[in-house]
């Protein structure tokens, strides 16, 4: 089993993701430079956090045109599992693999702290191990994590049971306290919190382990 | 044959329904400066570019594609286009 980890110029959580997947879950990873197009042999792909292409213009706006993401569109369309963390979530919305958009935090600050989260939907494999209504704590570290969408999109997300995670105490002004969403078919998850930073007791907790394990579910 | 050059400016703004915290903070500073009467302050981006195209219609078509697909994210932003002969 091999997990792809996309690396854009400006990604800075790619090694953390790799460390968590290899060191804590004992799985293989393959780093995918943004110019690569071959995703053959991968069981899942992670878009890590960071500042892809400097986040110029808008977070994720330039990354959307990376060759690796054109292949990722096909990969996701065939049901391949895709996990977008932080900047990776922003990229997934720009790609329109997930609806809505992420913009500047309401308080204009870069927020770096532990966040209490609630599992809103355990429908998909990503959060099944936690169970609906479960609480977990994951670190957040973002300046542009305020999830925004139209009322119609919000209703669609609710109707399709696609709101995966909510903040216990909304840190950034996101609509409906949304911290993470899936697509309707459930193979794509985007979230602002960092599960890879919560995979070893030495770094403050292991609440992120099951989520990364779900890359294989 | 000389292909005409057009100057364009694309203005990108957050949609009215999306809170603009940077605009709000700047409005507060404007009030502290003593400038009265400001009821709305929204911050956007201006993108200036030169584009060569056979005619204005084609220049406009390309710029509209660019604005809609790259310069603005229609989920949260509106854009407008100003086009001038160079």
């Amino acid at each position: 089993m091999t997990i792809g980890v996309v690396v854009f110029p400006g990604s800075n959580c790619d090694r953390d993701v790799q460390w968590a997947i290899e060191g804590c879950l004992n799985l293989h990873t393959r780093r995918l430079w943004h110019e690569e197009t071959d995703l053959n042999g991968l069981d899942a792909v992670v878009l890590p956090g960071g500042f892809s292409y400097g986040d110029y213009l808008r977070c994720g706006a330039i990354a959307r045109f990376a060759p690796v993401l054109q292949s990722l569109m096909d990969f996701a369309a065939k049901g391949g599992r895709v996990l977008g963390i932080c900047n990776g979530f922003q990229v997934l919305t720009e790609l329109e693999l997930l609806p809505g958009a992420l913009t500047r935090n309401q308080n204009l600050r870069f927020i770096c702290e532990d966040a209490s989260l609630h599992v809103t939907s355990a429908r998909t494999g990503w959060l099944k191990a936690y169970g609906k209504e479960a609480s977990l704590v994951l670190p957040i570290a973002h300046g542009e994590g305020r999830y925004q969408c139209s009322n119609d999109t919000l209703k669609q997300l609710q109707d399709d049971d696609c709101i995966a995670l909510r903040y216990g105490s909304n840190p950034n002004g996101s609509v409906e306290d949304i911290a993470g969403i899936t697509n309707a078919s459930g193979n794509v998850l985007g979230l602002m919190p960092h599960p890879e930073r919560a995979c070893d007791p030495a770094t403050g907790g292991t609440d992120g382990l099951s989520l990364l394990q779900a890359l294989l579910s | 044959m000389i292909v005409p050059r057009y100057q364009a400016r694309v203005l990108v703004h957050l949609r009215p329904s999306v809170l603009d915290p940077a605009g709000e903070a700047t409005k507060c500073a404007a009030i502290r400066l003593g400038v009265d009467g400001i009821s709305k302050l929204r911050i956007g981006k201006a993108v200036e570019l030169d584009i060569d195209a056979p005619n204005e219609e084609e220049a406009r078509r390309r710029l509209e594609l660019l604005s809609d697909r790259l310069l603005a994210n229609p989920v949260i932003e509106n854009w407008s286009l100003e086009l001038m002969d160079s």
Side-chain angles (χ1 to χ4, degrees):
Chain A
M1 303 295 261
T2 303
I3 312 294
V5 180
V6 175
V7 185
F8 300 108
S11 294
N12 65 11
C13 298
D14 45 317
R15 284 167 197 271
D16 285 5
V17 168
Q18 200 175 10
W19 169 82
I21 292 172
E22 291 184 355
C24 302
L25 294 172
N26 219 11
L27 298 170
H28 292 291
T29 61
R30 191 170 105 209
R31 285 151 70 86
L32 300 165
W33 185 233
H34 65 128
E35 287 169 336
E36 284 186 43
T37 52
D38 181 11
L39 303 186
N40 282 326
L42 297 174
D43 296 281
V45 174
V46 182
L47 298 175
F51 301 86
S52 54
Y53 301 91
D55 274 350
Y56 296 137
L57 191 63
R58 279 184 316 280
C59 301
I62 296 173
R64 185 180 118 210
F65 296 97
V68 70
L69 294 188
Q70 307 315 306
S71 303
L72 189 77
M73 294 295 282
D74 296 336
F75 183 82
K78 287 177 192 150
R81 278 178 303 279
V82 178
L83 173 62
I85 301 166
C86 200
N87 191 230
F89 183 16
Q90 295 162 341
V91 172
L92 289 175
T93 59
E94 284 284 339
L95 263 180
E96 298 180 14
L97 276 178
L98 292 173
L102 293 138
T103 187
R104 189 98 68 101
N105 292 344
Q106 190 167 345
N107 67 5
L108 293 173
R109 296 199 186 110
F110 188 97
I111 305 168
C112 188
E113 62 188 25
D114 284 342
S116 294
L117 302 160
H118 303 297
V119 175
T120 308
S121 168
R123 174 179 68 90
T124 67
W126 297 109
L127 293 159
K128 206 168 258 175
Y130 297 88
K132 194 171 156 100
E133 310 296 342
S135 296
L136 60 155
V137 175
L138 296 176
I140 56 170
H142 59 249
E144 306 206 15
R146 176 166 52 115
Y147 183 78
Q148 297 283 293
C149 65
S150 67
N151 290 336
D152 288 348
T153 300
L154 180 63
K155 185 170 184 311
Q156 194 69 51
L157 285 171
Q158 289 164 334
D159 289 351
D160 294 342
D161 197 19
C162 286
I163 300 173
L165 283 169
R166 283 197 162 100
Y167 298 107
S169 174
N170 192 336
N172 53 25
S174 288
V175 164
E176 289 279 313
D177 307 329
I178 287 173
I181 57 172
T182 63
N183 60 350
S185 47
N187 59 314
V188 179
L189 169 68
L191 76 169
M192 288 312 296
H194 286 269
E196 81 281 10
R197 297 188 192 178
C199 287
D200 188 302
T203 60
T206 57
D207 282 1
L209 260 182
S210 298
L211 208 154
L212 291 187
Q213 219 139 22
L215 286 163
L216 299 177
S217 65
Chain B
M1 187 183 125
I2 300 167
V3 178
R5 174 162 294 176
Y6 298 89
Q7 285 185 331
R9 185 181 291 132
V10 181
L11 299 171
V12 180
H13 287 97
L14 283 171
R15 281 177 179 268
S17 59
V18 177
L19 174 73
D20 173 16
E24 289 297 315
T26 307
K27 191 169 91 180
C28 290
I31 291 164
R32 285 197 202 110
L33 176 66
V35 177
D36 293 329
I38 298 173
S39 57
K40 184 180 124 178
L41 195 161
R42 309 272 293 173
I43 294 177
K45 283 182 269 219
V47 183
E48 293 179 340
L49 56 150
D50 293 347
I51 184 167
D52 296 344
N55 53 54
E56 186 180 327
E57 193 186 346
E58 175 60 16
R60 195 171 285 280
R61 190 195 67 77
R62 292 183 197 171
L63 290 163
E64 286 175 353
L65 173 74
L66 177 72
S67 303
D68 216 39
R69 298 283 306 281
L70 177 60
L71 301 182
N73 179 345
V75 175
I76 49 170
E77 293 169 325
N78 289 328
W79 56 269
S80 60
L81 171 63
E82 297 167 6
L83 190 61
M84 295 150 278
D85 267 320
S86 177

